[in-house]
Amino acid sequence: MAENNENKAGFGPLNCFESSNVTFERAANRLKLDHQVREWLKIPFREIKVHLPVVMDDGRLRIFEGYRVQHNNARGPHKGGIRYHPEVSMDDVRGLASWMSWKTALLNLPLGGAKGGVICDPKKMSAAELERLTRKYTQAIAMDIGPYQDIPAPDVNTGENVMAWMMDEYSKIRSYTPAVVTGKPVDLGGTPGRKDATGRGVAYIVGLWAADSGIKMEEATAAVQGFGNVGYYSAYHLARAGCRINAVSDTGACIYNSEGLDVEALLRHKRETGTVSGFEGGQTLDKDEVFGMDCDFLIPSALENAIHGDNYRSIKAGAIIEAANGPTCPLTEPWLLERGITILPDILVNSGGVVVSYFEWVQNLQQFRWAEKQVVRELKKKMEASYKCVVYKAKEDNQSHRIASYMLALNKVAGAALTRGVH
Ligand code: NAD
């Protein structure tokens, strides 16, 4: 216990809710937000904990624990992904849910924030077991989700299949409802452009920041931690914009090539072997060496707390572009900023996913399909507008980009909550 407190007095580790609250308080102080309003906005509206009995392939019964936290819906229905991971906890889901409330507000989407998770290790489960688990989870939360209540989406270790099963199970219970989840396969009411939306958005933000900082993309270098949906598509779109991807890591290793990695060949290697380790187009290093890369952009795209008390001093990148949620422990942030390292925050950088999820929801509600070109054009517009607001606010108030983003978001959520009232 003593060691825990000591850690927290120093530089982490913090769970996502603690992490989110550190930044919340910093921004709320700048806004001089009323104490009671702070408490109201910080605490999630509803927290659901479920126990899910699932018959495994060998006939044994296993009980899984799952969560859904609905943080705030002052500005619209709750919205947020579902994570399957052995280390997911209620506190992490709380924090992730609150980040969704701030993200949807910052991007001016008519949505609130939520998040879900199930403690499981999908790498050790068959597709049939994952399907049974997903259907049980959907049954357990079916009365609390819905197109105007709470709209789940993919997150770590969940993707189109999980969303398709959720939509199907929910539709069995409450009639055909594609708008209950986003991130579905295109043939089942998904939208073109959703799969790579988060990474595409990351690349837009990097491009805008590079232009503002006088960095030419053709001369820029990046290191990407994590090579799943967000990491791969961020690297892919950055490489297409001319940026050299010098390093990519996953749980197995970090692959480095000073001349730049062939991102698509690396993905083929990962699909064949299950890891980036051993890729012939680069040198295999320890996975954590990605943080010490001398590059323009360090792009953490894996999990929260990637940059923490033990590694933050090794960072040499000019900017940290937060593609994951909560990758920088906020207690390390003052030191990083003092060293002139720019941090572009998660609620702006990775918002492409929820923006295109919003477009998917709109299409489902209207029963009208958009072309991919329209999705991409509207995504770009939304992200550019929010980026400009954040940069302007940061300059005007002489604040970090994270605090500026939170100030903009908190103002909107507080305004909506107060206008709707407490009664
Ligand atoms: P994913 O499961 O597709 O990929 C996660 C990747 O991280 C995997 O390649 C895994 O090997 C890697 N990883 C995990 N621990 C690591 C470690 N210690 N070192 C190096 N690599 C590690 O998940 P995703 O959907 O890409 O999500 C990644 C992050 O982005 C999460 O924080 C998620 O909440 C956030 N996010 C996702 C979306 C989305 O649309 N999927 C949208 C916004 C934010």
Side-chain angles (χ1 to χ4, degrees):
M1 193 65 184
E3 188 187 301
N4 231 355
N5 286 338
E6 203 172 299
N7 267 340
K8 287 174 187 180
F11 294 127
L14 304 184
N15 64 48
C16 292
F17 196 46
E18 289 171 323
S19 218
S20 158
N21 285 340
V22 169
T23 310
F24 177 94
E25 287 296 342
R26 286 175 180 164
N29 286 341
R30 304 291 189 288
L31 289 171
K32 299 191 174 23
L33 206 63
D34 174 79
H35 179 70
Q36 290 173 4
V37 176
R38 284 185 201 209
E39 289 312 299
W40 184 13
L41 297 190
K42 238 181 358 187
I43 296 167
F45 162 70
R46 181 183 284 138
E47 302 182 346
I48 304 165
K49 181 172 171 182
V50 292
H51 291 102
L52 312 164
V54 176
V55 180
M56 306 305 280
D57 290 346
D58 63 5
R60 277 181 313 128
L61 184 73
R62 264 191 69 187
I63 314 292
F64 292 87
E65 186 165 306
Y67 314 105
R68 183 73 184 168
V69 173
Q70 297 171 336
H71 176 259
N72 188 288
N73 65 354
R75 302 182 58 266
H78 299 283
K79 180 93 192 83
I82 294 193
R83 176 175 291 197
Y84 286 176
H85 197 275
E87 281 161 31
V88 77
S89 70
M90 181 64 105
D91 272 329
D92 285 336
V93 176
R94 278 187 188 115
L96 288 157
S98 71
W99 283 326
M100 287 306 297
S101 301
W102 316 138
K103 197 180 299 183
T104 51
L106 180 65
L107 270 289
N108 225 355
L109 307 177
L111 295 165
K115 204 78 178 191
V118 178
I119 304 175
C120 65
D121 189 349
K123 286 185 186 150
K124 295 185 181 149
M125 292 170 71
S126 69
E129 289 171 338
L130 282 172
E131 177 174 352
R132 290 196 287 274
L133 173 65
T134 302
R135 289 185 184 278
K136 276 285 175 196
Y137 178 65
T138 310
Q139 289 163 16
I141 62 169
M143 292 304 148
D144 294 298
I145 60 172
Y148 293 104
Q149 239 174 310
D150 180 1
I151 309 125
D155 191 70
V156 174
N157 289 325
T158 55
E160 287 185 352
N161 280 353
V162 170
M163 292 307 117
W165 293 325
M166 283 196 81
M167 190 275 273
D168 183 65
E169 195 60 31
Y170 183 88
S171 295
K172 280 189 210 158
I173 301 167
R174 303 189 73 174
S175 84
Y176 179 63
T177 319
V180 68
V181 291
T182 57
K184 299 177 293 294
V186 174
D187 287 341
L188 281 183
T191 182
R194 173 61 182 91
K195 208 191 247 181
D196 67 340
T198 309
R200 189 189 284 276
V202 171
Y204 284 156
I205 296 293
V206 171
L208 292 165
W209 175 251
D212 281 353
S213 320
I215 299 171
K216 289 194 179 120
M217 284 299 268
E218 314 76 58
E219 292 166 12
T221 53
V224 181
Q225 183 228 12
F227 203 53
N229 175 288
V230 176
Y232 167 67
Y233 283 115
S234 299
Y236 171 81
H237 283 293
L238 281 168
R240 285 193 59 177
C243 179
R244 198 151 26 106
I245 310 297
N246 279 346
V248 165
S249 73
D250 69 3
T251 45
C254 169
I255 299 295
Y256 171 73
N257 186 334
S258 60
E259 300 301 312
L261 293 161
D262 177 341
V263 174
E264 287 167 84
L266 183 58
L267 181 68
R268 283 195 295 277
H269 174 86
K270 175 150 174 136
R271 282 199 175 133
E272 280 159 22
T273 66
T275 169
V276 297
S277 184
F279 177 60
E280 283 186 353
Q283 205 183 331
T284 297
L285 309 174
D286 180 85
K287 71 174 169 41
D288 289 334
E289 291 195 53
V290 72
F291 296 109
M293 291 291 158
D294 202 350
C295 56
D296 295 299
F297 311 117
L298 172 63
I299 310 187
S301 316
L303 292 173
E304 55 279 355
N305 261 317
I307 297 166
H308 50 72
D310 295 332
N311 66 7
Y312 71 104
R313 286 174 193 273
S314 68
I315 289 172
K316 298 193 196 89
I320 297 170
I321 312 292
E322 293 189 332
N325 284 311
T328 313
C329 169
L331 304 177
T332 66
E333 196 156 349
W335 186 92
L336 293 163
L337 295 174
E338 231 169 73
R339 303 268 163 328
I341 298 170
T342 299
I343 304 175
L344 297 185
D346 48 6
I347 62 169
L348 172 69
V349 172
N350 70 30
S351 60
V354 71
V355 170
V356 176
S357 271
Y358 163 61
F359 297 157
E360 181 175 331
W361 178 66
V362 166
Q363 292 172 65
N364 292 155
L365 293 177
Q366 298 185 337
Q367 308 281 335
F368 187 81
R369 308 303 293 271
W370 295 10
E372 184 163 4
K373 260 191 190 160
Q374 185 179 355
V375 171
V376 169
R377 190 177 60 233
E378 295 298 322
L379 169 66
K380 199 169 179 190
K381 265 204 265 179
K382 276 257 169 233
M383 292 202 67
E384 272 188 22
S386 298
Y387 169 85
K388 282 185 185 151
C389 289
V390 169
V391 169
Y392 180 81
K393 180 83 179 156
K395 269 201 193 121
E396 189 191 48
D397 284 25
N398 193 24
Q399 296 297 333
S400 71
H401 295 93
R402 191 188 312 280
I403 297 299
S405 303
Y406 268 63
M407 288 170 77
L408 292 166
L410 293 193
N411 246 339
K412 284 190 195 162
V413 179
L418 288 167
T419 309
R420 287 179 69 162
V422 266
H423 303 294

